[in-house]
Amino acid sequence: LSREARFSAFDKLTRRIQDEQLLAPLWPDGETVALLDQTRLPFARDVIHIRTAEEMGNAIRQMQIRGSGAIGCAGALGAYLAVRSAAKQPDQWNRLVEPLRNARPTALALRLAVDEVLDAARGAADPLESAANAAVAFFERQIGMERALGRHGAAVIADGATVLTHCHSGALAGAGYGGRALSVIRAAAESGKRISVIAQETRPYFQGARITAWELRQLGVPVTLITDGMSGAVMEAGRVDVCVVGSDRLAINGDLANKTGTYLVALAAREHDVPFYTATTRYNVDPTCPDGRHIPIEFRPGDEVLTINGQRIAAEGVDALYPAFDITPAKLLTGIITEVGTLTAPFEAKLRVLLQNEKDIVA
Amino acid sequence: LSREARFSAFDKLTRRIQDEQLLAPLWPDGETVALLDQTRLPFARDVIHIRTAEEMGNAIRQMQIRGSGAIGCAGALGAYLAVRSAAKQPDQWNRLVEPLRNARPTALALRLAVDEVLDAARGAADPLESAANAAVAFFERQIGMERALGRHGAAVIADGATVLTHCHSGALAGAGYGGRALSVIRAAAESGKRISVIAQETRPYFQGARITAWELRQLGVPVTLITDGMSGAVMEAGRVDVCVVGSDRLAINGDLANKTGTYLVALAAREHDVPFYTATTRYNVDPTCPDGRHIPIEFRPGDEVLTINGQRIAAEGVDALYPAFDITPAKLLTGIITEVGTLTAPFEAKLRVLLQNEKDIVA
């Protein structure tokens, strides 16, 4: 057996993933880190093996792993791989992790995770084992946050409820329990409530159709797909009891940046008196951002809208716009579900308390 | 030359289509009716030749021609084909048009058009020429309504405006000028205003991406595509000046049934003080329907959401819902653009006047 396979921290993590039936986006596997290729789901379940920090950065860049929690775990295990590549040359580590650290410019947790693991390894008697321990600690802290967030969020889901969600804010975007929005749904289901989900497909990349629906099937939660234009129609038909979405970034006043289409769901929910929640963690709250007007919206290439599986959907000469996020103002949120509880308006003081909590409060 | 090709009414109509650069969905062509196969647009421009009323009914059923105005014209020319099949056996006409009359159960204009043409032929000295004249009169009345509607609607579009529209409410859904919503855009552009359009792709069938965008390109109007979840994002970015959509059916109080996704656009428009109009004709107003709660929403097979070009977008075991329409309450409408002018709230009395107008008021 290789030395890595004997690290008790890796052992403990892989056992936990099995015992708790986590849908982990990646996990230590002998001398490599195994990673489920999310670009192929749900039609193929390909596992790729990552051997270096650089390969981990590439996997992130190619969207084989995505979602803020998952990218944090990838950063932690990727930093471990960098230490492994040069255990006796700590002066090389920063160079080795640089492409990984910058694989997604807006991913705060990625840089935090990389730094945390390198800090633990630096000056340690056994840098490699210390890096392994720190990477697993980061991973387990994420799992703990998801479970805590799920427990708090489950309280707002009634037995028999139909929950509408948008895009993918689930296990594969996190550490494997349920990420953010799907942790709430998973915890509600595990507490014995009979719930079902309406998932929006999420054009242009169909994360809702491909990944959210697949995860819910794995959990045995009934799931019905709609297109991104149908939330109003299903609410008019009285088919939605509560909305729970994730959050890409939260301004300190509670304004929410999330995958485009979220805002329309929130507008429809208000009109039909359907509670609307975002599930988030401290890692998604930006204290330097006073409100949603200060969150820059990424306009991605319009070609991503114009083609599906390489096939064009519109005539030549037609352009497209792809605002990747929209802003849901805090006034439309019934509450913000976090790892320390569900916050209600006014949000700012409560979000500042969330940010001041020790990082391991819910580990 | 065949007898039909010499009907002066057919001659006049085909000349008008050319002279006025109409994008007609169908037109008389010698002994047949030529029809542009809309299921193939924009990737192929296939013209099929319809020889009987039964074939016309099949083309409607297969969605090779769709949209209330276009289906009305198809009914008129299809009834002419029935008379042509049995010019000397008027007792056969009702039997021959029956499958055509019922090709789309909710299409009011289809039945009106068929009946109008058969009524004209019945007892006429020359039933076939009378049927041709009546079919062309129906077609030209539609063109006149579109031009009138466009003229009235153009007044609400400012020079330099960006207009957001949903689904396809254009020439190929009408008689060739611009149907309803696109008549407004066409008339504004023809009046010299520099306008551009943001078109929503309209899942699951992509009518916006395929047909609306193609028509606007034919007219030389710049068009940018977005997905159905992006109207809120582009309004937050201040990129929309006015919304104009069609209408499948209007309750007498002004509540609007239109392709799913319309309602979300209207909610976002209200939030951002963007004027929101529907373009409609008397044929879409249902005086027997007091309000939107009385408009039944067709839930179509979920499989239509789950596959694109025969390729599945979600895991096996995932279901889908497809509410074909949603209801936009009258309170969200800035105005209703019609062939007699733009109506403002309260709508009911004004819609009743619209219905009482003689059918040829704007021919």
Side-chain angles (χ1 to χ4, degrees):
Chain A
L1 220 58
S2 73
R3 180 158 177 261
E4 291 85 347
R6 283 175 286 122
F7 284 153
S8 63
F10 282 170
D11 237 29
K12 181 172 155 243
L13 177 60
T14 50
R15 263 205 316 276
R16 185 169 181 188
I17 289 171
Q18 279 170 16
D19 292 349
E20 301 184 16
Q21 295 184 287
L22 303 181
L23 296 171
L26 80 174
W27 58 92
D29 186 21
E31 300 186 6
T32 71
V33 174
L35 186 151
L36 183 61
D37 183 353
Q38 296 186 35
T39 62
R40 305 269 292 143
L41 281 178
F43 308 109
R45 208 168 167 166
D46 290 353
V47 172
I48 56 180
H49 290 273
I50 306 286
R51 289 161 205 284
T52 65
E54 189 183 0
E55 284 179 16
M56 189 69 86
N58 289 339
I60 292 170
R61 247 180 237 99
Q62 290 162 26
M63 310 287 277
Q64 292 172 308
I65 184 165
R66 11 84 42 215
S68 65
I71 286 178
C73 295
L77 286 168
Y80 157 80
L81 290 173
V83 174
R84 186 174 171 279
S85 299
K88 292 176 181 163
Q89 300 157 277
D91 57 318
Q92 294 297 306
W93 297 347
N94 278 340
R95 183 184 59 78
L96 290 170
V97 297
E98 202 50 30
L100 169 63
R101 258 184 126 257
N102 296 311
R104 283 290 286 274
T106 57
L108 179 64
L110 172 60
R111 280 178 291 283
L112 291 175
V114 168
D115 294 346
E116 196 173 309
V117 170
L118 293 192
D119 286 350
R122 244 173 229 121
D126 183 340
L128 190 56
E129 180 149 26
S130 296
N133 288 343
V136 169
F138 184 93
F139 206 123
E140 293 211 297
R141 206 162 63 235
Q142 290 281 336
I143 298 171
M145 281 205 298
E146 291 174 23
R147 285 192 164 278
L149 185 158
R151 204 164 50 240
H152 293 301
V156 309
I157 312 291
D159 187 23
T162 298
V163 187
L164 187 145
T165 190
H166 182 56
C167 197
H168 174 252
S169 173
L172 293 176
Y177 178 71
R180 286 160 291 168
L182 297 196
S183 285
V184 174
I185 289 163
R186 180 170 183 170
E190 287 181 349
S191 75
K193 291 174 182 166
R194 292 151 302 176
I195 60 174
S196 61
V197 174
I198 292 177
Q200 298 205 134
E201 63 178 10
T202 320
R203 281 276 293 139
Y205 281 118
F206 295 106
Q207 294 96 327
R210 292 192 303 107
I211 308 185
T212 299
W214 179 82
E215 278 192 17
L216 291 165
R217 287 288 297 167
Q218 305 301 306
L219 299 175
V221 175
V223 54
T224 302
L225 207 65
I226 60 172
T227 75
D228 305 338
M230 293 179 187
S231 60
V234 294
M235 290 191 214
E236 285 180 324
R239 291 178 181 239
V240 180
D241 298 302
V242 56
C243 302
V244 181
V245 300
S247 59
D248 280 285
R249 197 165 165 194
L250 213 60
I252 195 67
N253 74 336
D255 287 355
L256 164 68
N258 197 45
K259 181 59 62 188
T260 326
T262 301
Y263 175 39
L264 297 176
V265 173
L267 286 171
R270 176 181 63 180
E271 199 70 6
H272 294 277
D273 293 320
V274 172
F276 181 95
Y277 294 93
T278 185
T280 198
T281 70
R282 73 196 63 182
Y283 289 125
N284 304 103
V285 179
D286 184 349
T288 70
C289 187
D291 60 48
R293 285 168 306 173
H294 292 81
I295 302 178
I297 298 299
E298 179 187 7
F299 274 74
R300 294 183 55 86
D303 281 352
E304 300 183 12
V305 167
L306 287 166
T307 50
I308 296 177
N309 292 325
Q311 196 165 352
R312 203 173 157 90
I313 61 165
E316 290 302 322
V318 174
D319 292 323
L321 275 175
Y322 176 12
F325 306 103
D326 58 25
I327 304 294
T328 301
K331 67 174 181 182
L332 298 179
L333 301 181
T334 308
I336 299 174
I337 301 168
T338 76
E339 66 272 27
V340 298
T342 297
L343 316 181
T344 52
F347 296 115
E348 179 159 347
K350 294 166 194 168
L351 288 173
R352 291 204 184 275
V353 171
L354 173 71
L355 289 170
Q356 284 156 11
N357 274 311
E358 289 307 307
K359 64 184 179 184
D360 57 356
I361 194 168
V362 295
Chain B
L1 220 58
S2 73
R3 181 158 178 261
E4 292 83 348
R6 282 176 286 119
F7 284 153
S8 62
F10 282 170
D11 238 30
K12 181 172 153 241
L13 176 60
T14 49
R15 262 205 317 276
R16 185 168 181 187
I17 288 171
Q18 280 171 17
D19 293 348
E20 301 184 16
Q21 295 184 288
L22 304 182
L23 296 171
L26 80 175
W27 58 92
D29 184 23
E31 299 187 6
T32 73
V33 174
L35 185 151
L36 184 61
D37 183 352
Q38 296 186 33
T39 63
R40 304 269 292 142
L41 281 178
F43 309 108
R45 207 169 169 165
D46 290 352
V47 172
I48 56 180
H49 291 272
I50 306 285
R51 288 161 206 284
T52 65
E54 190 184 0
E55 285 178 16
M56 188 68 85
N58 290 339
I60 292 171
R61 247 180 236 99
Q62 291 161 24
M63 310 286 276
Q64 292 172 308
I65 184 167
R66 12 83 42 213
S68 65
I71 286 178
C73 295
L77 286 167
Y80 157 79
L81 290 173
V83 173
R84 187 173 168 279
S85 299
K88 291 176 181 163
Q89 301 155 279
D91 57 320
Q92 294 297 307
W93 297 346
N94 278 340
R95 184 184 60 77
L96 290 170
V97 298
E98 203 51 30
L100 169 64
R101 258 184 126 255
N102 296 310
R104 284 291 286 276
T106 57
L108 180 64
L110 172 60
R111 279 179 291 283
L112 290 175
V114 168
D115 294 346
E116 196 173 308
V117 170
L118 293 192
D119 285 351
R122 246 176 227 116
D126 184 340
L128 190 57
E129 179 149 26
S130 297
N133 289 342
V136 168
F138 184 93
F139 206 124
E140 294 211 297
R141 207 162 64 235
Q142 290 283 337
I143 298 171
M145 282 204 298
E146 291 174 23
R147 285 192 164 277
L149 185 158
R151 202 162 53 239
H152 294 301
V156 307
I157 312 291
D159 187 21
T162 298
V163 187
L164 187 145
T165 191
H166 182 56
C167 198
H168 174 251
S169 173
L172 293 176
Y177 178 71
R180 286 159 291 166
L182 297 195
S183 286
V184 174
I185 290 164
R186 179 171 184 168
E190 287 181 348
S191 76
K193 292 174 183 167
R194 291 150 302 175
I195 60 173
S196 61
V197 174
I198 293 178
Q200 298 205 135
E201 62 179 9
T202 319
R203 281 277 292 141
Y205 281 117
F206 295 105
Q207 294 96 327
R210 293 193 302 108
I211 307 185
T212 299
W214 178 82
E215 278 192 17
L216 289 166
R217 287 286 299 168
Q218 304 302 306
L219 299 175
V221 175
V223 55
T224 302
L225 207 65
I226 60 172
T227 75
D228 305 339
M230 293 178 186
S231 59
V234 294
M235 288 191 216
E236 284 179 326
R239 291 180 181 239
V240 180
D241 298 301
V242 56
C243 303
V244 181
V245 301
S247 59
D248 281 285
R249 197 165 163 194
L250 214 60
I252 196 68
N253 75 334
D255 287 354
L256 165 68
N258 197 43
K259 180 59 62 189
T260 325
T262 301
Y263 176 38
L264 297 176
V265 173
L267 287 171
R270 177 181 62 181
E271 200 70 7
H272 294 277
D273 294 319
V274 172
F276 180 96
Y277 294 92
T278 185
T280 198
T281 69
R282 72 195 64 179
Y283 289 126
N284 304 102
V285 179
D286 184 349
T288 71
C289 188
D291 61 49
R293 287 168 306 174
H294 292 81
I295 302 179
I297 299 298
E298 178 187 7
F299 275 75
R300 295 182 56 85
D303 282 352
E304 300 183 12
V305 167
L306 286 166
T307 51
I308 296 177
N309 292 327
Q311 196 165 350
R312 204 173 156 92
I313 61 164
E316 290 301 321
V318 174
D319 291 325
L321 276 175
Y322 177 12
F325 306 101
D326 59 25
I327 304 293
T328 300
K331 67 173 181 184
L332 297 179
L333 302 181
T334 308
I336 299 173
I337 301 168
T338 77
E339 67 271 28
V340 298
T342 298
L343 315 181
T344 52
F347 296 114
E348 178 160 346
K350 295 165 192 167
L351 288 173
R352 290 203 187 277
V353 170
L354 173 71
L355 289 169
Q356 283 156 12
N357 274 311
E358 289 308 307
K359 63 183 178 183
D360 56 355
I361 194 168
V362 294

